[in-house]
Amino acid sequence: MRILLLGASGQVGTELSRALKSVPDAEIIFATTSGLLNDQSCEVADFREPASVAALVTRLEPDVVVNAAAHTAVDRAEDEIEFSQLINAETPAAVARACADLGIPLIHYSTDYVFDGNGTSPYQVDHPTAPLGVYGSSKLAGEEGVRSSGAQHVILRTAWVYGNHGHNFMRTMLRLADKEQLNVVNDQIGGPTPAWLIADVTAELLRKGIGAGGTHHVVATGDTSWAGFADAIFDEAMDLGLIASRPVVNGIPSSEYPTPAKRPAYSVLDTTSLRETYDVSLPNWRDALRKTLEMA
Ligand SMILES: NC(=O)c1ccc[n+]([C@@H]2O[C@H](COP(=O)([O-])OP(=O)(O)OC[C@H]3O[C@@H](n4cnc5c(N)ncnc54)[C@H](OP(=O)(O)O)[C@@H]3O)[C@@H](O)[C@H]2O)c1
């Protein structure tokens, strides 16, 4: 299976580079903004140019496209409305139309930020969307562009992504491990999800066949706050001998940690449709964290 992987250098893209090898007869074609991946040359897919990325898909004629590229800088996005729309919506839509023309499927990723976070029980896939900011709006427009393209597709919404590569909360906490005290928000609730899990599930879907596809949620099970996640990171990292000391985590309300983009207060996603459609099993977030740190 010839798999075109867009956004190969990101958190999820890096894990996909590993996981997609488990797809039978996988031939992975990597693409990044610069045409470089780990100092090796690869295809150029610059999402600032929708037509050129669509043309890449048409020229390569892969069997499937996996799109892990996105403008994920949530706070910067508030001042970059057109750019966010271009990277997160217009180019994914153009890629999806190219996939439809070739009659090939597209796997695309989206986010808990399509919801307003006012919920109190895990969001079902068909819960009404109501993004709070530019990033969420642009990702929602990307979903709609993929859905209306006519391409066979799977949209995997995920949340609170972290891992051993790239910029993420876990790595930030480990960098701050020598502090004595740390204030961390305790009134936002979500399911921390390692990039390797999203990539492994993607590969599993390709091995099983994506069938009718549709929109599904892929997150580790259970939930916690950012402060709870920070505590767990320090506990597990101490236990594994990855850090010599750890800070005391003080839970604070979001109002004491203002950010340009408003975050959803409640970001827990219901994964029933993914589990029932594809018979996928998902680990608890705490077990997934332990496994991630063991791989560090
Ligand atoms: N991070 C999270 O907490 C989170 C939460 C929910 C959903 N998601 C979704 O999960 C997916 C993967 O996110 P991630 O965490 O892996 O993001 P990430 O680590 O920020 O990686 C984003 C990728 O997009 C690429 N990209 C950015 N601008 C580009 C451009 N102009 N042209 C081509 N590629 C460009 C980056 O490549 P370069 O570095 O080469 O520019 C990078 O490979 C995205 O759809 C995201 O919306 C993420």
Side-chain angles (χ1 to χ4, degrees):
M1 182 185 283
R2 273 162 61 80
I3 306 168
L4 173 58
L5 174 56
L6 305 174
S9 59
Q11 291 191 84
V12 174
T14 299
E15 291 293 340
L16 283 164
S17 305
R18 168 195 57 77
L20 293 176
K21 290 180 194 149
S22 69
V23 176
D25 300 320
E27 180 195 334
I28 308 168
I29 307 165
F30 302 96
T32 64
T33 322
S34 61
L36 279 176
L37 184 63
N38 303 326
D39 296 328
Q40 309 254 336
S41 68
C42 67
E43 297 290 344
V44 175
D46 186 340
F47 272 49
R48 290 168 296 192
E49 296 173 9
S52 79
V53 185
L56 178 75
V57 173
T58 306
R59 172 170 68 79
L60 292 172
E61 291 188 58
D63 297 311
V64 59
V65 177
V66 179
N67 175 32
H71 183 43
T72 57
V74 172
D75 288 321
R76 276 211 330 263
E78 289 299 302
D79 294 323
E80 299 172 342
I81 299 173
E82 282 176 18
F83 184 70
S84 303
Q85 191 71 12
L86 186 59
I87 308 298
N88 291 341
E90 286 173 40
T91 301
V95 166
R97 286 193 297 272
C99 289
D101 289 346
L102 288 174
I104 61 165
L106 169 66
I107 299 185
H108 178 73
Y109 302 95
S110 190
T111 169
D112 56 309
Y113 278 54
V114 298
F115 299 120
D116 62 14
N118 291 331
T120 51
S121 61
Y123 282 101
Q124 313 273 331
V125 285
D126 56 357
H127 192 280
T129 49
L132 296 174
V134 171
Y135 169 72
S137 299
S138 67
K139 291 294 294 182
L140 179 58
E143 288 189 5
E144 286 160 355
V146 170
R147 275 189 211 109
S148 62
S149 67
Q152 182 192 15
H153 64 269
V154 180
I155 296 170
L156 293 172
R157 288 191 193 127
T158 188
W160 289 33
V161 179
Y162 70 95
N164 290 314
H165 307 278
H167 300 287
N168 60 69
F169 184 82
M170 183 191 83
R171 296 189 71 200
T172 303
M173 290 301 109
L174 292 176
R175 221 173 27 244
L176 297 173
D178 60 351
K179 304 276 178 224
E180 284 187 6
Q181 307 261 335
L182 217 50
N183 293 343
V184 185
V185 167
N186 67 1
D187 57 1
Q188 291 168 25
I189 305 296
T193 301
W196 59 258
L197 177 62
I198 301 162
D200 283 357
V201 166
T202 303
E204 189 173 347
L205 264 51
L206 287 174
R207 288 195 303 272
K208 288 178 171 170
I210 65 174
T215 303
H216 300 283
H217 292 163
V218 57
V219 285
T221 63
D223 60 66
T224 186
S225 66
W226 288 114
F229 186 28
D231 252 328
I233 291 165
F234 294 130
D235 282 349
E236 298 290 357
M238 284 292 285
D239 195 50
L240 288 166
L242 296 174
I243 53 176
S245 63
R246 55 154 298 169
V248 172
V249 175
N250 303 312
I252 58 163
S254 307
S255 55
E256 285 182 27
Y257 188 75
T259 51
K262 200 165 178 247
R263 267 77 175 156
Y266 184 82
S267 271
V268 186
L269 302 180
D270 183 286
T271 56
T272 307
S273 74
L274 180 78
R275 288 184 285 110
E276 288 185 349
T277 308
Y278 296 107
D279 192 25
V280 167
S281 70
L282 298 165
N284 176 266
W285 71 266
R286 180 83 190 221
D287 296 334
L289 169 63
R290 175 86 183 186
K291 186 170 162 184
T292 308
L293 286 167
E294 283 171 351
M295 295 188 292

